Structures are given as structure tokens and as C-alpha cells.
Amino acid sequence: MKAVTVTESTRLDPSATPPSELVPMRHSGRALAALVILVAAASLGYSAMTNDNFEWPVVWEYLFHPEIMQGLGTTLILTGVSMTLGIILGIVLAACRMSENRVLSTLSGAYLWFFRGTPLLVQLIFWFNLSALYPRLSLSVPFGGPEIAGAATNGVLNLWAVAIIGLTLNESAYMAEIVRGGLLSVPRHQSEAATALGMNRWLTFHRVILPQALRVIVPPTGNQVIGMLKHSSLVSIIALSDLLYSAQLIYSQNFRTIPLLVVISIWYLVCTTVLSYAQSHIERHYGRGVHVGVQRPGGLAKLRSLGSRLSQRSQSNDNPNPA
Amino acid sequence: MSTATSAPGGTGASTTDPIVRIIDLHKNFGPVEVLKGVDLEVRRGQVVVILGRSGSGKSTMLRCVNHLERPSSGTVIVDGEVIGYRIKGDKLHELPPAAIAKQRTKTGMVFQSYNLFPHMTVMENLIEAPRRVKGVDKATAMEDALQALEEVGMAHKADVYPSTLSGGQQQRVAIARALVMKPSVMLFDEPTSALDPELVGEVLNVMKRLATSGMTMIVVTHEIGFARSVADEVVFMSEGRLVENGPPSQVIDAPVHESTRTFIDSIL
């Protein structure tokens, strides 16, 4: 009988040497899927471009309209301030929640229960109407005693204050859980090592535990920032002129609803894109000293690595004999 | 001094004075009694090796010395200071955490799992506590750190992150990190147990050199060879009690107690 050469098999004759050339697995399905999606996207883009109801000339007209720009500014400030305060308060709440002190952990738990348990929109309207509940805000002796200092609620809380308080208190409740998850991810041994070196609890927390926890905290926080950018549009309900409210003001007069919504969607997308990019940079910073699982570089990362390779090449060209 | 517990004449004591005194130490974890009354004295410059099965309470005892564990009862005195408490009349009052933190600078501790701070370089690991706890200025702290790193043979790795080092190298850095605080006593909690066998030697060598330089050391370990050649005193613990202690020639080579003998036989 003639020996049959097996051309495709995982078996190898004990005496034979395996071939040395490796052929990676081909993903032919992916190319096909990409093609289908490209065609679908192109047709969707074409229909958007040719559908007159989008009124693209109106979109371009209002894209940099002063009122839209002002609304964008309001949205960005609101997001920045509320998020910063929310993160700080969230860290405090998380530290309290994990404290051995029963009073602090219970208080923190009750706070989370309330602010995560009621809708943000309801909270905003509630703060907006606080003057109906308490016409005067005052510091006074408890249980109806004399007033020490006080002012009319509407005088203290303007629209900005209401919006920032509403967004911050709600955000801090979510941030507290994100921070707590991050703190729990740091091995207990780390705080022991810091303690054994004589570091007190505050030093241990902010020099050893928190920086390591941030590696875990940053990605979901990026999510929260992007969420906040969009949730802040809820303040349009209390007539604070953010991006959405500015657009609403314009289209309530000229009835160009769709193009103005397109305008603000473009701005929201621009902002979230910039924020996502910033997030990846911050993640890299807090990942220092840790071998994070190798990530496949995305488009931007590939561009960056190409750029750095090119610049290295030009540097080595400048200096043909490096030391 | 932040506390009123420093013994009169604490400095300039002769070498025969105990630098660590453990008196009738008890420790419960819930219903489990891990330490059932341990007494131990360590004199300045002495190297004491603690042997015993896992679960015998040796690590717990070590962790009571720097108050990482709070004793259920009993007293620990380091360099004349009662750790964790203030004597007021005939009672011991618990110290606030900040005061205990200050007391811990008298003891340096080396852990089984090294516990270097992964987000800091080797140099940053070493200057963190001196700068922030003792208030040493950066230049001095870095000088001290480099010297300590040289002592453990790791000066060439000052600027790398711990994750790039082998276990043995990380442990040597951890020893240096404890040394820069200039402690009176060094506590070693199974410093070589997590290491690959070929890396154990480099860490033990650093510890031997440290012992030769006159450092007071309390070492929990399973390295009988190290105990035999370096220890001034070997302590055998079993079930939360100190069963036998004496020079290595006695405890290791001619143990009196049955439990010591079975343990030594099982690991030799």
C-alpha cells in the first residue's frame, strides 16, 4: 500500500519535522461584515444629506450662533463644576461608608439610599421649588428656637445654585459607589505596609490607597462625566439656558426644531469625543507601574504609535551615532 | 515625645536592656484564642527567630509588636514605650491612631508579600515615609534611600517600578524601605515564604548582613539554616504559646519538648 501524505491534520508523524512557516487564522467574515456595515452607513448618510427635512443650511447657520455658544458654555461649566464637586463629595462619602465609625457609615448609606433612589429630574424640580417648602433659609436654635442668621430662599438659591446643587448631590451618590469599588480593589496589604511605616490614616488613604484605587475609578468616572454632560440638559426644565434650553428658545420662535436638535447633537458629540480622548490619557497616567492587560490599540493609538515611530526615526536620522 | 510613656533613661541603655518586652500577650479573633499568654524579651542587637507551624500564632505575635493587631490583653513595650496605650494612674488608656502611628516609626516591618507601593518607583517607595511621616527634606531622604538601597544591592534599580523587579529584588527593596525609617527593631514576617527557591538566598544574605551590623531583629521564618547560623535565640511557638526558647544549638539541635522535636523533624 502506498503511503498517504496527510495534507491537513493536527497529527504529525513522530519521525517527521513540522513545517516552520506559521499562517495566522484568517477572519474572512469580518471583512464581509465591515463591507455590509459600510454600505448601510453610506446609504444612511446619503439619505440624511438628501432629505430636505434636515434643513442642513439651517444647521450650518445656527452651529456657531451666539446663543448656542452661550448654551454650550453653560453646559460645560455646569458639567465641570457639578462633576468636580460630585467627585470630591463622592470620595468623602465612600470614605465614610467604609469607615469603622458606625455613625459615618450609616449616614453615608442613608444619603446614597435617598439620592440614588429618586430621579434626578424630580430632585432638580424639588430644589427649584425649595422656596415653597422653606420660604426662608436660616440658622436657628433647633425645634423652633430663635433665628441666628437667615435669608429668603429665593435670594440664596438662584437657578445656577439650584442646578449645581441638584446635579452635584445626585452625582456624588453614584460617584461614592464607584470610589468605594476602587478602594476595595486595593489589596489590604497596601494599607498595612503604609501603617507599618508609621503613616497615619490620612496619609495612607491619599498617598497609598487612593492613587491605586484611581486606576479602577477613572474608567467608570469617564462614563459619569459623559453622562453628566448629557444629564445636565435636564436643567432646561428649570429654565437655565444650557445647550438644550438655548436651542429650545430658538426653535420655539422659528419652528426649525429638527435642525436645531441636530446642531446641539453635534456639539454634544464633539464634547463627548474630546472627553473620551482625555479619559484614555488619564487612565494611562494612573496605570503607571502596573502591567495592565495588553490592549489592542485602537485607531488613535495606532496613529500615535506611528507618529512616535516616525519621530524616533527622524531623531535617529539627526543623530546617526547615538551614544 | 508625644506620649508620657517613655521610660526614664530610655536612651543610653546598656545592650543587655530589653528593647522589646512582650508581657502576657493574649489575642482573640472572635471566639478563637490565637495567643494564650506569651512573654518574650528581646535585647538590643539580638536576633530572635520564631519557629512554629502555621496557625501557631507567631505572625499574630509579631503583628502585635507594632500594633497592626490590637492585643486582647497584655502589654508590648518597644524601646521603653508602651505600644498603643498611655499609662494613667493604674490603667492603660488607648492612644489615638495618630499617636500609635508615631510609635510605629520605632519598628520596621517586612512582609511575606513585600507590599511595595506599585504606583511609586523604588526611590519614591523609600522616601515616602521619611518625608511625610518624619518630615525629612527631599534631598536628605534621597541620600538615605540611596544608601539603604546600596546596602541591599538595589541602588541600580532606584528609578524603576516594583512590578519590573523579581520577588527577591522586591523584598530587598522592602527591607531598604523599612531601614530608611531608622527603626530600633526590624520585624520580619516570613520574608522568604513567597519567593521562588533560587531567590531566597539573596534575601537571607541581606538579612544576615543586617544582623551582623547590630540590628535588633525578630524574624518569623521556616528557614532553619538561617535560624541556626544567625539567630541568637530561637523561640518555638505552638498553639498560641511559647513552648521552648534558647540558643539555636539547643532548640533546633536538641529540643526538649515533644512538639518542638516533631516540628523540627518535619521540616529538616
mmCIF file of all heavy atoms in Angstrom, chain B residues 29-77:
data_model
loop_
_atom_site.group_PDB
_atom_site.id
_atom_site.type_symbol
_atom_site.label_atom_id
_atom_site.label_comp_id
_atom_site.label_asym_id
_atom_site.label_seq_id
_atom_site.Cartn_x
_atom_site.Cartn_y
_atom_site.Cartn_z
ATOM 1 N N PHE B 29 -9.373 36.164 67.996
ATOM 2 C CA PHE B 29 -10.118 36.562 66.802
ATOM 3 C C PHE B 29 -11.504 35.958 66.971
ATOM 4 O O PHE B 29 -11.696 34.773 66.740
ATOM 5 C CB PHE B 29 -9.466 36.031 65.529
ATOM 6 C CG PHE B 29 -8.180 36.748 65.182
ATOM 7 C CD1 PHE B 29 -6.964 36.086 65.209
ATOM 8 C CD2 PHE B 29 -8.209 38.094 64.829
ATOM 9 C CE1 PHE B 29 -5.790 36.749 64.884
ATOM 10 C CE2 PHE B 29 -7.041 38.759 64.502
ATOM 11 C CZ PHE B 29 -5.829 38.088 64.533
ATOM 12 N N GLY B 30 -12.457 36.748 67.410
ATOM 13 C CA GLY B 30 -13.765 36.213 67.740
ATOM 14 C C GLY B 30 -13.611 35.205 68.867
ATOM 15 O O GLY B 30 -12.966 35.504 69.872
ATOM 16 N N PRO B 31 -14.168 34.011 68.706
ATOM 17 C CA PRO B 31 -14.070 33.025 69.785
ATOM 18 C C PRO B 31 -12.721 32.287 69.797
ATOM 19 O O PRO B 31 -12.403 31.568 70.734
ATOM 20 C CB PRO B 31 -15.206 32.047 69.458
ATOM 21 C CG PRO B 31 -15.403 32.168 67.987
ATOM 22 C CD PRO B 31 -14.989 33.538 67.587
ATOM 23 N N VAL B 32 -11.917 32.473 68.742
ATOM 24 C CA VAL B 32 -10.666 31.725 68.634
ATOM 25 C C VAL B 32 -9.548 32.462 69.375
ATOM 26 O O VAL B 32 -9.273 33.629 69.098
ATOM 27 C CB VAL B 32 -10.264 31.538 67.155
ATOM 28 C CG1 VAL B 32 -9.047 30.636 67.056
ATOM 29 C CG2 VAL B 32 -11.424 30.998 66.350
ATOM 30 N N GLU B 33 -8.918 31.761 70.320
ATOM 31 C CA GLU B 33 -7.822 32.367 71.056
ATOM 32 C C GLU B 33 -6.519 32.012 70.343
ATOM 33 O O GLU B 33 -6.083 30.865 70.343
ATOM 34 C CB GLU B 33 -7.814 31.861 72.503
ATOM 35 C CG GLU B 33 -7.055 32.768 73.422
ATOM 36 C CD GLU B 33 -7.103 32.305 74.873
ATOM 37 O OE1 GLU B 33 -7.513 31.150 75.112
ATOM 38 O OE2 GLU B 33 -6.718 33.089 75.753
ATOM 39 N N VAL B 34 -5.927 33.005 69.689
ATOM 40 C CA VAL B 34 -4.726 32.760 68.883
ATOM 41 C C VAL B 34 -3.464 32.859 69.729
ATOM 42 O O VAL B 34 -2.522 32.106 69.540
ATOM 43 C CB VAL B 34 -4.663 33.755 67.703
ATOM 44 C CG1 VAL B 34 -3.453 33.476 66.844
ATOM 45 C CG2 VAL B 34 -5.931 33.664 66.870
ATOM 46 N N LEU B 35 -3.454 33.796 70.653
ATOM 47 C CA LEU B 35 -2.324 33.907 71.579
ATOM 48 C C LEU B 35 -2.852 33.710 72.998
ATOM 49 O O LEU B 35 -3.816 34.351 73.407
ATOM 50 C CB LEU B 35 -1.652 35.282 71.456
ATOM 51 C CG LEU B 35 -0.950 35.583 70.134
ATOM 52 C CD1 LEU B 35 -0.374 36.997 70.148
ATOM 53 C CD2 LEU B 35 0.150 34.570 69.853
ATOM 54 N N LYS B 36 -2.194 32.779 73.722
ATOM 55 C CA LYS B 36 -2.726 32.422 75.041
ATOM 56 C C LYS B 36 -1.739 32.796 76.139
ATOM 57 O O LYS B 36 -1.416 31.983 76.994
ATOM 58 C CB LYS B 36 -3.016 30.917 75.086
ATOM 59 C CG LYS B 36 -4.016 30.473 74.028
ATOM 60 C CD LYS B 36 -4.064 28.970 73.911
ATOM 61 C CE LYS B 36 -5.029 28.551 72.812
ATOM 62 N NZ LYS B 36 -4.925 27.133 72.488
ATOM 63 N N GLY B 37 -1.243 34.030 76.067
ATOM 64 C CA GLY B 37 -0.327 34.461 77.124
ATOM 65 C C GLY B 37 1.112 34.225 76.752
ATOM 66 O O GLY B 37 1.706 33.209 77.114
ATOM 67 N N VAL B 38 1.677 35.146 75.979
ATOM 68 C CA VAL B 38 3.060 34.998 75.527
ATOM 69 C C VAL B 38 3.935 36.031 76.226
ATOM 70 O O VAL B 38 3.566 37.198 76.332
ATOM 71 C CB VAL B 38 3.144 35.195 73.992
ATOM 72 C CG1 VAL B 38 4.590 35.199 73.535
ATOM 73 C CG2 VAL B 38 2.352 34.122 73.271
ATOM 74 N N ASP B 39 5.079 35.587 76.740
ATOM 75 C CA ASP B 39 6.072 36.506 77.295
ATOM 76 C C ASP B 39 7.364 36.350 76.516
ATOM 77 O O ASP B 39 7.784 35.224 76.229
ATOM 78 C CB ASP B 39 6.343 36.177 78.773
ATOM 79 C CG ASP B 39 5.109 36.429 79.624
ATOM 80 O OD1 ASP B 39 4.259 35.512 79.730
ATOM 81 O OD2 ASP B 39 4.995 37.540 80.160
ATOM 82 N N LEU B 40 7.973 37.489 76.169
ATOM 83 C CA LEU B 40 9.227 37.423 75.419
ATOM 84 C C LEU B 40 10.017 38.698 75.669
ATOM 85 O O LEU B 40 9.438 39.780 75.768
ATOM 86 C CB LEU B 40 8.927 37.261 73.920
ATOM 87 C CG LEU B 40 10.129 37.066 72.990
ATOM 88 C CD1 LEU B 40 10.769 35.710 73.232
ATOM 89 C CD2 LEU B 40 9.701 37.182 71.530
ATOM 90 N N GLU B 41 11.334 38.547 75.775
ATOM 91 C CA GLU B 41 12.186 39.734 75.870
ATOM 92 C C GLU B 41 13.243 39.659 74.793
ATOM 93 O O GLU B 41 13.842 38.611 74.567
ATOM 94 C CB GLU B 41 12.859 39.813 77.250
ATOM 95 C CG GLU B 41 11.901 40.234 78.342
ATOM 96 C CD GLU B 41 12.634 40.688 79.605
ATOM 97 O OE1 GLU B 41 13.889 40.594 79.632
ATOM 98 O OE2 GLU B 41 11.948 41.132 80.545
ATOM 99 N N VAL B 42 13.439 40.764 74.096
ATOM 100 C CA VAL B 42 14.476 40.826 73.068
ATOM 101 C C VAL B 42 15.429 41.950 73.443
ATOM 102 O O VAL B 42 14.999 43.080 73.665
ATOM 103 C CB VAL B 42 13.868 41.090 71.674
ATOM 104 C CG1 VAL B 42 14.969 41.157 70.619
ATOM 105 C CG2 VAL B 42 12.852 40.017 71.321
ATOM 106 N N ARG B 43 16.713 41.619 73.543
ATOM 107 C CA ARG B 43 17.685 42.640 73.914
ATOM 108 C C ARG B 43 18.223 43.334 72.675
ATOM 109 O O ARG B 43 18.159 42.809 71.572
ATOM 110 C CB ARG B 43 18.833 42.014 74.718
ATOM 111 C CG ARG B 43 18.410 41.540 76.101
ATOM 112 C CD ARG B 43 19.602 41.098 76.921
ATOM 113 N NE ARG B 43 20.451 40.146 76.202
ATOM 114 C CZ ARG B 43 20.211 38.844 76.124
ATOM 115 N NH1 ARG B 43 19.131 38.331 76.692
ATOM 116 N NH2 ARG B 43 21.032 38.054 75.466
ATOM 117 N N ARG B 44 18.759 44.533 72.896
ATOM 118 C CA ARG B 44 19.286 45.322 71.798
ATOM 119 C C ARG B 44 20.353 44.540 71.024
ATOM 120 O O ARG B 44 21.238 43.943 71.629
ATOM 121 C CB ARG B 44 19.900 46.607 72.363
ATOM 122 C CG ARG B 44 19.940 47.766 71.407
ATOM 123 C CD ARG B 44 20.485 48.992 72.107
ATOM 124 N NE ARG B 44 19.516 49.574 73.045
ATOM 125 C CZ ARG B 44 18.618 50.505 72.692
ATOM 126 N NH1 ARG B 44 18.570 50.941 71.465
ATOM 127 N NH2 ARG B 44 17.787 50.983 73.592
ATOM 128 N N GLY B 45 20.240 44.511 69.718
ATOM 129 C CA GLY B 45 21.225 43.838 68.877
ATOM 130 C C GLY B 45 20.991 42.351 68.718
ATOM 131 O O GLY B 45 21.713 41.678 67.980
ATOM 132 N N GLN B 46 19.993 41.830 69.421
ATOM 133 C CA GLN B 46 19.730 40.402 69.353
ATOM 134 C C GLN B 46 18.936 40.037 68.095
ATOM 135 O O GLN B 46 18.148 40.842 67.600
ATOM 136 C CB GLN B 46 18.882 40.008 70.566
ATOM 137 C CG GLN B 46 19.432 38.822 71.325
ATOM 138 C CD GLN B 46 18.476 38.361 72.409
ATOM 139 O OE1 GLN B 46 17.446 38.976 72.682
ATOM 140 N NE2 GLN B 46 18.849 37.270 73.047
ATOM 141 N N VAL B 47 19.168 38.831 67.585
ATOM 142 C CA VAL B 47 18.342 38.315 66.502
ATOM 143 C C VAL B 47 17.538 37.135 67.057
ATOM 144 O O VAL B 47 18.107 36.142 67.488
ATOM 145 C CB VAL B 47 19.191 37.845 65.300
ATOM 146 C CG1 VAL B 47 18.308 37.219 64.226
ATOM 147 C CG2 VAL B 47 19.975 39.016 64.730
ATOM 148 N N VAL B 48 16.225 37.307 67.088
ATOM 149 C CA VAL B 48 15.365 36.252 67.612
ATOM 150 C C VAL B 48 14.574 35.661 66.446
ATOM 151 O O VAL B 48 13.918 36.385 65.701
ATOM 152 C CB VAL B 48 14.392 36.813 68.676
ATOM 153 C CG1 VAL B 48 13.415 35.745 69.122
ATOM 154 C CG2 VAL B 48 15.176 37.356 69.851
ATOM 155 N N VAL B 49 14.683 34.354 66.283
ATOM 156 C CA VAL B 49 13.921 33.692 65.224
ATOM 157 C C VAL B 49 12.766 32.931 65.862
ATOM 158 O O VAL B 49 12.964 32.200 66.841
ATOM 159 C CB VAL B 49 14.818 32.735 64.405
ATOM 160 C CG1 VAL B 49 13.961 31.839 63.506
ATOM 161 C CG2 VAL B 49 15.803 33.535 63.559
ATOM 162 N N ILE B 50 11.578 33.139 65.323
ATOM 163 C CA ILE B 50 10.397 32.460 65.852
ATOM 164 C C ILE B 50 9.993 31.359 64.886
ATOM 165 O O ILE B 50 9.757 31.601 63.707
ATOM 166 C CB ILE B 50 9.241 33.451 66.066
ATOM 167 C CG1 ILE B 50 9.683 34.529 67.062
ATOM 168 C CG2 ILE B 50 8.008 32.732 66.580
ATOM 169 C CD1 ILE B 50 8.761 35.699 67.133
ATOM 170 N N LEU B 51 9.956 30.138 65.404
ATOM 171 C CA LEU B 51 9.540 28.995 64.597
ATOM 172 C C LEU B 51 8.187 28.498 65.089
ATOM 173 O O LEU B 51 7.792 28.765 66.221
ATOM 174 C CB LEU B 51 10.561 27.857 64.715
ATOM 175 C CG LEU B 51 12.002 28.123 64.267
ATOM 176 C CD1 LEU B 51 12.865 26.904 64.581
ATOM 177 C CD2 LEU B 51 12.059 28.438 62.786
ATOM 178 N N GLY B 52 7.512 27.783 64.236
ATOM 179 C CA GLY B 52 6.234 27.189 64.642
ATOM 180 C C GLY B 52 5.399 26.882 63.419
ATOM 181 O O GLY B 52 5.645 27.419 62.343
ATOM 182 N N ARG B 53 4.441 25.979 63.611
ATOM 183 C CA ARG B 53 3.547 25.649 62.499
ATOM 184 C C ARG B 53 2.707 26.859 62.139
ATOM 185 O O ARG B 53 2.521 27.753 62.956
ATOM 186 C CB ARG B 53 2.594 24.522 62.916
ATOM 187 C CG ARG B 53 3.228 23.190 63.013
ATOM 188 C CD ARG B 53 2.267 22.142 63.530
ATOM 189 N NE ARG B 53 3.032 21.078 64.139
ATOM 190 C CZ ARG B 53 3.815 20.246 63.455
ATOM 191 N NH1 ARG B 53 3.914 20.367 62.147
ATOM 192 N NH2 ARG B 53 4.509 19.310 64.069
ATOM 193 N N SER B 54 2.141 26.834 60.916
ATOM 194 C CA SER B 54 1.201 27.910 60.585
ATOM 195 C C SER B 54 -0.019 27.756 61.486
ATOM 196 O O SER B 54 -0.476 26.649 61.747
ATOM 197 C CB SER B 54 0.807 27.847 59.106
ATOM 198 O OG SER B 54 0.312 26.580 58.786
ATOM 199 N N GLY B 55 -0.476 28.881 61.999
ATOM 200 C CA GLY B 55 -1.588 28.845 62.937
ATOM 201 C C GLY B 55 -1.142 28.781 64.382
ATOM 202 O O GLY B 55 -1.968 28.738 65.283
ATOM 203 N N SER B 56 0.184 28.796 64.601
ATOM 204 C CA SER B 56 0.670 28.717 65.979
ATOM 205 C C SER B 56 0.652 30.087 66.652
ATOM 206 O O SER B 56 0.895 30.208 67.840
ATOM 207 C CB SER B 56 2.088 28.141 66.004
ATOM 208 O OG SER B 56 2.954 28.978 65.268
ATOM 209 N N GLY B 57 0.364 31.141 65.878
ATOM 210 C CA GLY B 57 0.264 32.484 66.466
ATOM 211 C C GLY B 57 1.514 33.324 66.319
ATOM 212 O O GLY B 57 1.565 34.446 66.812
ATOM 213 N N LYS B 58 2.520 32.816 65.581
ATOM 214 C CA LYS B 58 3.780 33.557 65.519
ATOM 215 C C LYS B 58 3.658 34.871 64.755
ATOM 216 O O LYS B 58 4.170 35.899 65.186
ATOM 217 C CB LYS B 58 4.911 32.697 64.946
ATOM 218 C CG LYS B 58 4.602 31.966 63.660
ATOM 219 C CD LYS B 58 5.649 30.889 63.402
ATOM 220 C CE LYS B 58 5.624 30.364 61.981
ATOM 221 N NZ LYS B 58 4.303 30.048 61.425
ATOM 222 N N SER B 59 2.922 34.840 63.633
ATOM 223 C CA SER B 59 2.726 36.085 62.882
ATOM 224 C C SER B 59 1.876 37.081 63.663
ATOM 225 O O SER B 59 2.159 38.278 63.673
ATOM 226 C CB SER B 59 2.056 35.805 61.531
ATOM 227 O OG SER B 59 2.989 35.283 60.624
ATOM 228 N N THR B 60 0.858 36.569 64.329
ATOM 229 C CA THR B 60 -0.010 37.443 65.131
ATOM 230 C C THR B 60 0.797 38.132 66.217
ATOM 231 O O THR B 60 0.643 39.337 66.457
ATOM 232 C CB THR B 60 -1.152 36.625 65.757
ATOM 233 O OG1 THR B 60 -1.815 35.907 64.721
ATOM 234 C CG2 THR B 60 -2.131 37.516 66.479
ATOM 235 N N MET B 61 1.708 37.362 66.859
ATOM 236 C CA MET B 61 2.521 37.960 67.901
ATOM 237 C C MET B 61 3.382 39.077 67.326
ATOM 238 O O MET B 61 3.483 40.170 67.891
ATOM 239 C CB MET B 61 3.404 36.892 68.542
ATOM 240 C CG MET B 61 4.121 37.406 69.773
ATOM 241 S SD MET B 61 5.432 36.306 70.298
ATOM 242 C CE MET B 61 6.702 36.774 69.188
ATOM 243 N N LEU B 62 3.980 38.814 66.155
ATOM 244 C CA LEU B 62 4.834 39.811 65.517
ATOM 245 C C LEU B 62 4.024 41.072 65.197
ATOM 246 O O LEU B 62 4.488 42.190 65.395
ATOM 247 C CB LEU B 62 5.428 39.222 64.235
ATOM 248 C CG LEU B 62 6.635 39.943 63.661
ATOM 249 C CD1 LEU B 62 7.833 39.763 64.574
ATOM 250 C CD2 LEU B 62 6.961 39.415 62.271
ATOM 251 N N ARG B 63 2.802 40.862 64.714
ATOM 252 C CA ARG B 63 1.968 42.000 64.320
ATOM 253 C C ARG B 63 1.437 42.770 65.521
ATOM 254 O O ARG B 63 0.980 43.902 65.376
ATOM 255 C CB ARG B 63 0.816 41.517 63.446
ATOM 256 C CG ARG B 63 1.279 41.032 62.070
ATOM 257 C CD ARG B 63 0.261 40.120 61.415
ATOM 258 N NE ARG B 63 -1.022 40.793 61.218
ATOM 259 C CZ ARG B 63 -1.304 41.549 60.163
ATOM 260 N NH1 ARG B 63 -0.398 41.706 59.215
ATOM 261 N NH2 ARG B 63 -2.451 42.142 60.047
ATOM 262 N N CYS B 64 1.504 42.148 66.700
ATOM 263 C CA CYS B 64 1.139 42.872 67.914
ATOM 264 C C CYS B 64 2.259 43.829 68.341
ATOM 265 O O CYS B 64 2.009 44.833 68.994
ATOM 266 C CB CYS B 64 0.836 41.906 69.065
ATOM 267 S SG CYS B 64 -0.784 41.119 68.945
ATOM 268 N N VAL B 65 3.497 43.492 67.934
ATOM 269 C CA VAL B 65 4.629 44.321 68.362
ATOM 270 C C VAL B 65 4.493 45.738 67.786
ATOM 271 O O VAL B 65 4.804 46.714 68.465
ATOM 272 C CB VAL B 65 5.971 43.676 67.939
ATOM 273 C CG1 VAL B 65 7.141 44.601 68.244
ATOM 274 C CG2 VAL B 65 6.159 42.345 68.653
ATOM 275 N N ASN B 66 4.023 45.869 66.540
ATOM 276 C CA ASN B 66 3.824 47.231 66.008
ATOM 277 C C ASN B 66 2.337 47.587 65.932
ATOM 278 O O ASN B 66 1.950 48.496 65.213
ATOM 279 C CB ASN B 66 4.510 47.409 64.656
ATOM 280 C CG ASN B 66 3.924 46.501 63.582
ATOM 281 O OD1 ASN B 66 3.083 45.661 63.857
ATOM 282 N ND2 ASN B 66 4.378 46.688 62.362
ATOM 283 N N HIS B 67 1.536 46.842 66.688
ATOM 284 C CA HIS B 67 0.126 47.179 66.857
ATOM 285 C C HIS B 67 -0.661 47.112 65.561
ATOM 286 O O HIS B 67 -1.670 47.789 65.403
ATOM 287 C CB HIS B 67 -0.015 48.575 67.487
ATOM 288 C CG HIS B 67 -1.194 48.677 68.431
ATOM 289 N ND1 HIS B 67 -1.202 48.113 69.671
ATOM 290 C CD2 HIS B 67 -2.397 49.267 68.302
ATOM 291 C CE1 HIS B 67 -2.352 48.358 70.273
ATOM 292 N NE2 HIS B 67 -3.104 49.054 69.451
ATOM 293 N N LEU B 68 -0.181 46.310 64.585
ATOM 294 C CA LEU B 68 -1.030 46.053 63.420
ATOM 295 C C LEU B 68 -2.225 45.231 63.882
ATOM 296 O O LEU B 68 -3.309 45.307 63.308
ATOM 297 C CB LEU B 68 -0.269 45.299 62.332
ATOM 298 C CG LEU B 68 0.605 46.111 61.383
ATOM 299 C CD1 LEU B 68 1.155 45.223 60.277
ATOM 300 C CD2 LEU B 68 -0.129 47.286 60.787
ATOM 301 N N GLU B 69 -1.994 44.405 64.894
ATOM 302 C CA GLU B 69 -3.094 43.744 65.589
ATOM 303 C C GLU B 69 -3.178 44.345 66.982
ATOM 304 O O GLU B 69 -2.155 44.540 67.642
ATOM 305 C CB GLU B 69 -2.852 42.234 65.730
ATOM 306 C CG GLU B 69 -2.697 41.479 64.439
ATOM 307 C CD GLU B 69 -3.977 41.350 63.646
ATOM 308 O OE1 GLU B 69 -5.051 41.749 64.150
ATOM 309 O OE2 GLU B 69 -3.896 40.865 62.507
ATOM 310 N N ARG B 70 -4.381 44.608 67.447
ATOM 311 C CA ARG B 70 -4.525 45.111 68.807
ATOM 312 C C ARG B 70 -4.654 43.928 69.747
ATOM 313 O O ARG B 70 -5.552 43.091 69.579
ATOM 314 C CB ARG B 70 -5.768 45.988 68.902
ATOM 315 C CG ARG B 70 -5.919 46.580 70.283
ATOM 316 C CD ARG B 70 -6.876 47.716 70.282
ATOM 317 N NE ARG B 70 -8.221 47.235 69.959
ATOM 318 C CZ ARG B 70 -9.269 48.039 69.862
ATOM 319 N NH1 ARG B 70 -9.115 49.319 70.020
ATOM 320 N NH2 ARG B 70 -10.459 47.545 69.588
ATOM 321 N N PRO B 71 -3.747 43.830 70.723
ATOM 322 C CA PRO B 71 -3.819 42.702 71.650
ATOM 323 C C PRO B 71 -5.146 42.716 72.417
ATOM 324 O O PRO B 71 -5.690 43.779 72.687
ATOM 325 C CB PRO B 71 -2.655 42.954 72.613
ATOM 326 C CG PRO B 71 -1.758 43.907 71.914
ATOM 327 C CD PRO B 71 -2.634 44.723 71.011
ATOM 328 N N SER B 72 -5.665 41.519 72.717
ATOM 329 C CA SER B 72 -6.873 41.456 73.534
ATOM 330 C C SER B 72 -6.537 41.804 74.976
ATOM 331 O O SER B 72 -7.316 42.446 75.670
ATOM 332 C CB SER B 72 -7.493 40.062 73.455
ATOM 333 O OG SER B 72 -7.765 39.737 72.120
ATOM 334 N N SER B 73 -5.358 41.343 75.402
ATOM 335 C CA SER B 73 -4.829 41.817 76.684
ATOM 336 C C SER B 73 -3.340 41.584 76.694
ATOM 337 O O SER B 73 -2.809 40.890 75.836
ATOM 338 C CB SER B 73 -5.507 41.103 77.861
ATOM 339 O OG SER B 73 -5.072 39.763 77.914
ATOM 340 N N GLY B 74 -2.668 42.187 77.677
ATOM 341 C CA GLY B 74 -1.219 42.081 77.714
ATOM 342 C C GLY B 74 -0.579 43.355 77.199
ATOM 343 O O GLY B 74 -1.263 44.240 76.680
ATOM 344 N N THR B 75 0.739 43.429 77.349
ATOM 345 C CA THR B 75 1.434 44.663 77.036
ATOM 346 C C THR B 75 2.611 44.401 76.121
ATOM 347 O O THR B 75 3.294 43.385 76.244
ATOM 348 C CB THR B 75 1.962 45.321 78.341
ATOM 349 O OG1 THR B 75 0.929 45.244 79.318
ATOM 350 C CG2 THR B 75 2.343 46.764 78.110
ATOM 351 N N VAL B 76 2.829 45.328 75.201
ATOM 352 C CA VAL B 76 4.027 45.304 74.364
ATOM 353 C C VAL B 76 4.786 46.593 74.620
ATOM 354 O O VAL B 76 4.209 47.677 74.554
ATOM 355 C CB VAL B 76 3.666 45.190 72.875
ATOM 356 C CG1 VAL B 76 4.912 45.295 72.019
ATOM 357 C CG2 VAL B 76 2.923 43.891 72.586
ATOM 358 N N ILE B 77 6.065 46.457 74.947
ATOM 359 C CA ILE B 77 6.881 47.646 75.195
ATOM 360 C C ILE B 77 8.040 47.642 74.215
ATOM 361 O O ILE B 77 8.776 46.655 74.108
ATOM 362 C CB ILE B 77 7.403 47.660 76.649
ATOM 363 C CG1 ILE B 77 6.209 47.679 77.616
ATOM 364 C CG2 ILE B 77 8.308 48.857 76.889
ATOM 365 C CD1 ILE B 77 6.568 47.323 79.036
#
